Amino acid sequence: MFTGLIETIGTVAEYVEQDSSSTGGNGVSITITDCSPILEDVHLGDSISTNGVCLTVTDFDASKTHFKVGVAPETLRKTNMGSLSKGSKVNLERAVTSDVRLGGHVVQGHVDTVATVVGKKPDGNAITFTFELRDKEFINYIVHKGFIAIDGTSLTVTSVNDSKAQFSIMLISYSQEKVILAKKEIGDTVNIEVDLTGKLIEKQVELNLKSQINKEDSALNALIASIVEKKVKELIK
């Protein structure tokens, strides 16, 4: 679990599409450097959020200047990790510990989809970004003033356009120096993780409705029956 508060910006030192080494997993591997501050307590198997994607450390050097991760095919399908190359900048955050303040929001590091920057406009010393989702159905979980993780950064939604599957956020001046979003331009993509709370509520409502419908003497069926009976009587009259 993560907080969405980026600790440092790292640099991709190597991107290998087919890494057959023992630490590569016979798939895509990424080696990231310029990240010593978050490697002080690193261990093999640790989780590090990389542009919002929870990835497992498979290797690091003795002086702790870089680390390596493998990227699964499902991750490549759901995220923009496949567009990274040597020199790309990435947001990095270690998994939370028991003594970390939850200053952002609960971020799983399980990216739902990607979005494209369709608007970038200065607003005083801040920048307003507008994004359009690739997978439109996820707009259902994005609400005005709600949480959202963009490339792993915890941000607040400032507006939502459901019909266009678009939403906006405001990046304050302090954050512009701390995350990679400030460098994004129109047409660039970002990783999106919607707030888990909305998905959990939807699932519980769905299961509850199914249970009510399948139970003949449920409150829901009784309500439906009374409404139908009332309408029938009105039509007969």
Side-chain angles (χ1 to χ4, degrees):
M1 187 180 76
F2 307 92
T3 67
L5 300 182
I6 304 305
E7 294 186 90
T8 191
I9 295 176
T11 304
V12 174
E14 189 176 21
Y15 184 101
V16 181
E17 292 189 1
Q18 189 65 39
D19 189 339
S20 58
S21 69
S22 59
T23 57
N26 290 311
V28 170
S29 73
I30 303 175
T31 301
I32 298 169
T33 188
D34 295 335
C35 54
S36 296
I38 68 162
L39 298 183
E40 297 172 351
D41 57 353
V42 70
H43 299 88
L44 293 179
D46 280 357
S47 295
I48 295 181
S49 172
T50 307
N51 275 1
V53 182
C54 179
L55 297 174
T56 301
V57 176
T58 61
D59 192 24
F60 60 89
D61 63 323
S63 55
K64 297 183 178 181
T65 62
H66 67 261
F67 71 99
K68 183 178 182 180
V69 294
V71 185
E74 173 69 2
T75 301
L76 293 172
R77 287 189 288 267
K78 290 289 186 179
T79 72
N80 65 2
M81 297 299 284
S83 66
L84 295 178
S85 59
K86 184 176 181 179
S88 295
K89 299 295 183 180
V90 290
N91 291 329
L92 299 173
E93 181 194 354
R94 289 169 290 185
V96 299
T97 59
S98 59
D99 62 343
V100 172
R101 288 192 177 96
L102 190 59
H105 73 282
V106 176
V107 178
Q108 291 183 290
H110 301 163
V111 171
D112 294 295
T113 186
V114 299
T116 302
V117 179
V118 295
K120 180 179 181 180
K121 183 175 63 175
D123 188 353
N125 64 349
I127 304 173
T128 294
F129 282 89
T130 301
F131 306 90
E132 183 171 320
L133 297 172
R134 178 188 66 188
D135 301 304
K136 312 298 184 185
E137 65 271 20
F138 287 102
I139 198 66
N140 296 333
Y141 310 109
I142 301 176
V143 297
H144 182 238
K145 297 302 180 182
F147 295 124
I148 195 161
I150 301 177
D151 281 338
T153 306
S154 176
L155 293 163
T156 302
V157 177
T158 58
S159 68
V160 183
N161 187 322
D162 294 306
S163 62
K164 292 184 177 180
Q166 294 181 357
F167 68 94
S168 299
I169 61 91
M170 182 174 286
L171 192 67
I172 63 174
S173 58
Y174 175 82
S175 299
Q176 291 168 29
E177 302 297 323
K178 304 297 182 181
V179 300
I180 64 171
L181 180 56
K183 305 299 182 184
K184 296 278 186 175
E185 300 295 342
I186 293 176
D188 289 340
T189 61
V190 294
N191 293 322
I192 299 294
E193 181 185 331
V194 299
D195 188 9
L196 177 63
T197 305
K199 292 191 284 186
L200 290 174
I201 292 173
E202 180 187 57
K203 184 66 174 181
Q204 291 303 310
V205 170
E206 180 184 349
L207 291 174
N208 187 265
L209 286 175
K210 285 181 178 179
S211 175
Q212 290 278 316
I213 290 171
N214 292 331
K215 187 178 180 181
E216 290 186 7
D217 60 345
S218 70
L220 178 62
N221 280 331
L223 175 62
I224 293 173
S226 66
I227 292 174
V228 171
E229 183 179 358
K230 180 180 179 181
K231 290 300 180 181
V232 169
K233 286 181 179 180
E234 289 177 354
L235 287 172
I236 291 175
K237 286 183 180 180

